[in-house]
Amino acid sequence: MSARSLVAPAAAAALVLATALPAAAQSPPRTVTFREVAKSTTFSYVDNPPRGTAQRPRFSAGDMFVLNVPLINDAGARRGALRATCTVTARTKDPSRAPALCTGVVTLKEGQIVLVVSTTNLDAKVTTGSVVGGTRAYAGARGTFLSTTSRAGTRDTITLLD
């Protein structure tokens, strides 16, 4: 058996191990959870033309709203804030069914997490989105956002991929 025939399989095995080890060494995703405080939330609506009326509100493409939502942990201690803007992307007679593109920032003491959400139902019980960045402890963050609303309130879960 020649040296060349021994080196090729050894090199192939080393290449397989080199690519498999980093994948196996990856840590599991970490999660950040919090609850939204509905009673302290602020909401501002910008009704761009064509405008609806007080008797007949109607979302149209380009209408926007801005949210500022306090966040708490399970013990009820202040955790941070979620600030977001949403732009309606199509006209609709039913405001709760307006399609919208939202961008937001979750500000926590250890850093910020940037989110993007696209929805076709503003009143959905479950909303999902993407984590597209962050600062300080969350620098370079990527992952998913899940917001679930029930009678107990709204719980948000951010799953970060390392």
Side-chain angles (χ1 to χ4, degrees):
M1 195 175 250
S2 73
R4 178 178 239 162
S5 62
L6 290 174
V7 171
L15 182 61
V16 168
L17 283 176
T19 58
L21 287 177
Q26 290 178 349
S27 61
R30 72 181 158 140
T31 59
V32 179
T33 60
F34 40 83
R35 293 185 304 149
E36 297 181 11
V37 182
K39 67 181 179 184
S40 299
T41 295
T42 59
F43 175 89
S44 298
Y45 174 61
V46 179
D47 187 7
N48 287 311
R51 292 188 171 89
T53 64
Q55 296 78 22
R56 196 169 174 201
R58 177 179 285 186
F59 279 160
S60 59
D63 288 353
M64 299 177 69
F65 55 93
V66 180
L67 299 168
N68 185 1
V69 184
L71 305 173
I72 59 174
N73 64 18
D74 286 333
R78 183 157 173 85
R79 181 82 171 94
L82 166 62
R83 294 179 179 91
T85 60
C86 295
T87 303
V88 176
T89 58
R91 186 178 186 140
T92 179
K93 291 180 182 179
D94 182 357
S96 67
R97 301 277 183 208
L101 179 62
C102 304
T103 56
V105 175
V106 173
T107 301
L108 306 170
K109 67 179 180 180
E110 60 272 15
Q112 296 179 322
I113 302 170
V114 182
L115 310 171
V116 174
V117 174
S118 178
T119 183
T120 57
N121 183 350
L122 294 171
D123 278 345
K125 299 294 182 203
V126 176
T127 302
T128 59
S130 300
V131 174
V132 296
T135 64
R136 298 189 350 240
Y138 306 108
R142 61 187 179 89
T144 59
F145 170 77
L146 172 68
S147 182
T148 307
T149 301
S150 68
R151 288 186 178 158
T154 301
R155 172 177 290 288
D156 298 334
T157 303
I158 294 173
T159 304
L160 300 171
L161 306 173
D162 288 328

